[in-house]
Amino acid sequence: MTTREFDGIRLEKVREHVWEIPREGDMNVPARVLASESLLEEIGEDDSLQQLKNATHLPGMAEPALCMPDGHQGYGFPVGGVGAIDARTGCISPGAVGYDINCGVRMVRTNLAYDDVRGRESELVDALFEAVPSGLGGGGVIGGDADAIEGALERGVEWAVEEGYGIESDLARCEDEGRRPDARPEYVSQKAMDRGRNQMGSLGSGNHFLEVQRVTDVFREEVADEYGLREDGIVVLIHCGSRGLGHQTCNDYLRRIEKEHGDLLAELPDKELAAAPAGSELADEYYGAMGACINFAWVNRQLITHQARETFGEVFDADPIEDLGMELLYDVAHNIAKKETHEVGVDADGRPAVGDEAVDRAERELYVHRKGATRAFPAGNADVPEVYRSVGQPVIIPGSMGAGSYVLRGGDQSMSVSFGSTAHGAGRLMSRTQAKQEFWGGDVQDDLEDGQQIYVKAQSGATIAEEAPGVYKDIDEVIRVSDELGIGDKVARTFPVCNIKG
DNA sequence: ATGTGC
């Protein structure tokens, strides 16, 4: 048997790209890393594997706790982690969702070809930078009065479209039609709402960006046709989350768990994995508040989409919908938990179980935590929007600003291998602090423009350094693993034309 | 990720 060991954590190779940390001690279930040998070596360099192992202690965790090929260490649970936990007898963990609730990415297609944009990159990047608020702190596309906040938290994209910031077809092209039906705005604190108020329609900082890209490769012609993608076509990618509102909400509930459920917390190997027991008031309140933050993040991406459409309309002197065909391809969430039904091993009492304790397999409602992971449901699944049901849901995976991105479709192995999930990006190789020691923002910006004709504009040079292409893993390798495992299949590849960020 | 710390 092929094995690897990192800091005392041993992994057994189950098959190509599948590595298992066997169950031992207080682990409820084994854990699996979905990675090639080279990606596993990178994942093994930080605390990801220990964090993944810690997460197997969470009550109700179904087999196996997972790390996607782009995984790296995060708060408590790896970014790139998937944990499916019994919604009746288990728990829900804010740290396994992430601070930036519904950080996610959407792709907008256009009728433009690369030739239409070439030579006008500076004009376009300046206009977008002007139109889309970015960077830390406040300032959004709209003011965010009480009605706006309430509409966004309660009704998501539906509210934004009603207010004139989108078109009817945008709704069906978001996970959950852009509205979590179980959102409960009353469980979001006043402080969180105050932080979100003047951030409605803003990119934020860090790895968030808006990028104009050209399609360089099409791998599955029939799927690309369904998605409206063709070689040399221009697309717009928008990556951002729930800003201060989601961050505050995560923090609020972590503090409440510490106060109200210290007994469970004391049993966990890491306090950052703090979780509310399923069925508790706090679990229901967090789930409802998280749903409202999810809606807010969708509105955020919708307002930025509106600004991008308006800007393209002005720059190319055309109607963004009628002439430029700027329809939403799809919007995917990276940091969420959601009640989904999956088949798992169960014990005599019907609880998720493994090994000798598993006497049967049955469908169970699970809190599927995807933290830095993307839902990747295959063709035929009822939760895939009708327009894409015959080919599988679009999965949009951004790479670094020097390497381009991929569009995949949910693969037919995803339900049995990864609770219907795949990777969400290239995955960091080093911390932000280390990145700033290795790179200088201005130099990175010059190299991208001179070497690859990629035009980057940011509020802060430090952000460009933190996001330099060299701080990321090889996106091609991440996608190869997803494609070869059959959890997310390659459809098209894109390359950056211009990029704005915080 | 984040009014870039509790």
Side-chain angles (χ1 to χ4, degrees), chain A residues 24 53 55 66 78 89 95 293 328 348 353 366 395 403 407 497:
Chain A
E24 58 166 39
K53 205 175 160 187
L66 287 155
T89 65
C293 294
L328 184 58
L366 307 165
V395 177
V407 178
V497 175

Side-chain angles (χ1 to χ4, degrees), chain A residues 2-4 6 9-13 19-21 33 49:
Chain A
T2 306
T3 63
R4 288 283 182 282
F6 302 91
I9 299 176
R10 195 173 60 86
L11 299 102
E12 298 172 354
K13 185 171 183 174
W19 302 84
E20 180 158 300
I21 305 174
V33 180
L49 298 175

Side-chain angles (χ1 to χ4, degrees), chain A residues 46 72-75 79 99-100 103 136 203-209 239-241 247 334-335 371 401 424 427-441 444 460-472 501-502:
Chain A
D46 61 23
H72 61 91
Q73 75 182 66
Y75 178 90
V79 176
Y99 263 91
D100 190 4
C103 169
L136 280 168
L203 280 177
S205 185
N207 63 352
H208 291 163
F209 63 80
H239 180 198
C240 61
H247 189 273
H334 290 165
N335 285 12
K371 179 186 185 182
M401 57 186 162
H424 85 307
R428 293 193 80 85
L429 276 174
M430 63 181 85
S431 69
R432 296 180 186 283
T433 313
Q434 194 186 340
K436 278 181 285 197
Q437 288 162 0
E438 305 260 347
F439 299 99
W440 185 251
V444 172
S460 149
T463 303
I464 300 181
E466 288 174 1
E467 297 300 318
V471 317
Y472 281 97
K501 54 201 299 91

Side-chain angles (χ1 to χ4, degrees), chain A residues 358-369:
Chain A
V359 296
D360 199 2
R361 290 187 69 76
E363 291 198 325
R364 283 289 169 272
E365 187 173 63
L366 307 165
Y367 287 123
V368 179
H369 298 68

Side-chain angles (χ1 to χ4, degrees), chain A residues 357-436:
Chain A
E357 292 150 33
V359 296
D360 199 2
R361 290 187 69 76
E363 291 198 325
R364 283 289 169 272
E365 187 173 63
L366 307 165
Y367 287 123
V368 179
H369 298 68
R370 296 191 182 92
K371 179 186 185 182
T374 313
R375 194 185 77 170
F377 283 0
N381 187 292
D383 288 326
V384 175
E386 213 176 313
V387 281
Y388 301 132
R389 201 166 297 154
S390 66
V391 292
Q393 75 158 87
V395 177
I396 300 146
I397 303 193
S400 77
M401 57 186 162
S405 306
Y406 279 86
V407 178
L408 314 185
R409 60 97 173 256
D412 61 12
Q413 297 303 304
S414 71
M415 300 315 259
S416 59
V417 171
S418 55
F419 295 103
S421 317
T422 188
H424 85 307
R428 293 193 80 85
L429 276 174
M430 63 181 85
S431 69
R432 296 180 186 283
T433 313
Q434 194 186 340
K436 278 181 285 197

